[in-house]
Amino acid sequence: LARAAGRLAASVVRPLTAALGAHGPASGRNEITDDDLRAELNDLARDATRLRARVGGPPALLEATAALQDLACQLVAEDAETLAARRRELAELMVDAAPAIQSAPDGPYLVTNAPTLRDGLGLSLEPLPQLALCRCGASESKPFCDGSHAQIGFRGAKEPERVPDRVDRYDGQQIEVLDNRGTCAHSGFCTDRLPTVFRASEEPFVAPSGGRVDEIVRAARDCPSGALSYAVGGVEARRQVDQEREPAIEVSRDGPYRVSGAIALVDADGRPEPRNAGASLEHYSLCRCGQSRNKPFCTGMHWHVDFHDPEPAEQPTLFQWAGGFPALLRLTRRFYETYVAEDPLLAPLFARMSPDHPERVAAWLGEVFGGPRAYTERYGGYQRMIGQHMGKGLQEEWRARWVQLLTRAADDVGLPADPEFRAAFAAYLEWGSRIAVENSGPDAKPPPQMPVPRWWWVCDAYPWSRVAAMAPEEPVAEVALPGPDAELSYAEHVKPLFRRRDRDSMSFVFDLWSRDDVATHAEAILERLRAGTMPCDGAWPTERIAVLERWVAAGGPA
């Protein structure tokens, strides 16, 4: 509740005070007790939502409403029934508001009624009807705003030295590629997936004859910033580039917000946000690091300023390591649209597949690799999957070609290439495809009601716990060492000595981030540190070893 009170001050009181023109704290009660917060926060959220639905603005009201809705729901997060009822009530109060994104003056993106808000893995973030999304890059609650923009003095103006707003035209034999570098967010979708056409280190940037027409069309449609388009016979095919999609916002990993589905984007005054020449209204990328030179649009500065989301607390699943649903859907689309369609062995087998078959296979792989139960909930689970194979009489040569081409598609779309992931990926393709052949035989009787299998890393070999042979040498992190007379504690003085890599590499024995584990195995740890065999990529300085020795001698205080 103390944190909630701080959020009230930063994201509710501050913007409303500024909107009302006050220059100091309001008179009367300034402190909010825990009891007050519990009793009144939901009423405040309802009242603010009613007012926001009736008057629409100003941006300060939207920002405060977003914070109140979020806090009112956070305080009942453990009560699923109450939380669901509260979310329904807020949604009903704002049911008539059209989906939109507004850039607050030097503040967050104020998002109204976004039907879908997903993270970079494709998982829903369960948006409330009024949201405030961070765009200064400093929020501790990413992607949501926590008021940090006011503390760091964030400014939302465009930079004069930004890349010029100019559409370049590249003529090919059958198609012309249109590109505006001033709009590009440098997500790398075009250069990574079709490098023979979009050449990152060559001039001209685009070589239209370097790929098939359908590949170029796909690249233009996949461009998340809207910088790419194409023309045929001199006429831009904007209507073909802009797909008909449900409104959605993707919070890309360590990158921009990727908006699709023609969500209206307005400035602080409620007018349509000015766009560069040729920019799409259906899809666009918004800056999330706070450093773009063409705010609110992303210009790829997140790469240069080393912007990162918080690291996941747990070891990633294969689903997370692969890149989630977006990566798996790229894989299955590439496989079925390119390889299966052109393969004389597999094309007849999949000639009558449903249009959404790539989505179904991506959902299956996602669930198998440790993601959400999307296939089970949408399509029927394991029983549905084996029903697709029973009686088909699948042949070994079909199975082998399926594995071969799916592996090739994984290379094409940039799935992780580290040995550990590819070992697990290849193991599942072999195992799953052989089970499919077995289940397709004339006398097969697969056991009913089996769960969807869950695949894991092979023999618990994790890529993050291995020092790669080609990885650059990691410098020793700066850690403030205690003075000779300081009273030592594990949390303040010992735990910071161990990197995540050190922890992961020893996780099969003990946890270096656990005080109890380090105390129990202290002598073995010290022996390896003194011998220079831990960590595995370089010996500790003697002064660090001395700190651990002092801590052990003091009895291992927490």
Side-chain angles (χ1 to χ4, degrees), residues 409-476:
D411 294 334
D412 291 350
V413 301
L415 254 62
D418 55 86
E420 292 81 4
F421 175 80
R422 285 307 178 97
F425 182 72
Y428 174 72
L429 295 189
E430 286 289 337
W431 182 86
S433 62
R434 292 176 188 275
I435 295 292
V437 170
E438 179 181 305
N439 288 340
S440 73
D443 300 322
K445 296 180 180 179
Q449 307 304 322
M450 293 291 289
V452 173
R454 302 290 269 189
W455 213 248
W456 191 241
W457 300 94
V458 176
C459 299
D460 287 338
Y462 311 118
W464 56 89
S465 62
R466 173 177 60 90
V467 180
M470 301 301 293
E473 184 175 348
E474 184 177 348
V476 177

Side-chain angles (χ1 to χ4, degrees), residues 13 17 22 24-30:
V13 177
T17 299
S27 60
R29 187 179 64 181
N30 293 321

Side-chain angles (χ1 to χ4, degrees), residues 220-243:
R221 300 186 78 183
D222 286 348
C223 174
S225 68
L228 287 179
S229 185
Y230 69 92
V232 178
V235 179
E236 183 181 7
R238 172 54 66 186
R239 294 184 63 181
Q240 285 69 42
V241 174
D242 290 348
Q243 309 164 59

Side-chain angles (χ1 to χ4, degrees), residues 17-102:
T17 299
L20 294 172
H23 299 287
S27 60
R29 187 179 64 181
N30 293 321
E31 296 295 327
I32 301 176
T33 68
D34 290 354
D35 289 340
D36 291 334
L37 199 59
R38 292 184 185 279
E40 298 176 8
L41 197 52
N42 191 39
D43 289 339
L44 285 171
R46 283 198 298 250
D47 291 343
T49 302
R50 291 190 185 98
L51 180 61
R52 183 261 173 269
R54 187 168 69 249
V55 304
L61 174 59
L62 273 63
E63 182 180 349
T65 301
L68 286 167
Q69 289 186 2
D70 183 34
L71 287 168
C73 289
Q74 282 187 29
L75 291 181
V76 295
E78 297 182 359
D79 184 344
E81 185 175 345
T82 301
L83 175 61
R86 190 162 292 186
R87 294 175 69 92
R88 283 196 302 271
E89 181 181 17
L90 294 172
E92 290 169 1
L93 290 173
M94 288 183 55
V95 68
D96 294 328
I101 302 175
Q102 183 178 36

Side-chain angles (χ1 to χ4, degrees), residues 469-520:
M470 301 301 293
E473 184 175 348
E474 184 177 348
V476 177
E478 291 294 330
V479 177
L481 300 179
D485 299 324
E487 293 186 7
L488 301 185
S489 74
Y490 171 78
E492 184 177 354
H493 302 112
V494 176
K495 182 180 178 181
L497 299 176
F498 298 110
R499 303 166 302 173
R500 176 176 291 276
R501 171 182 286 183
D502 303 328
R503 181 197 190 196
D504 289 337
S505 65
M506 298 303 299
S507 61
F508 69 99
V509 181
F510 45 71
D511 185 359
L512 288 172
W513 286 2
S514 164
R515 179 265 169 200
D516 293 341
D517 277 12
V518 173
T520 300

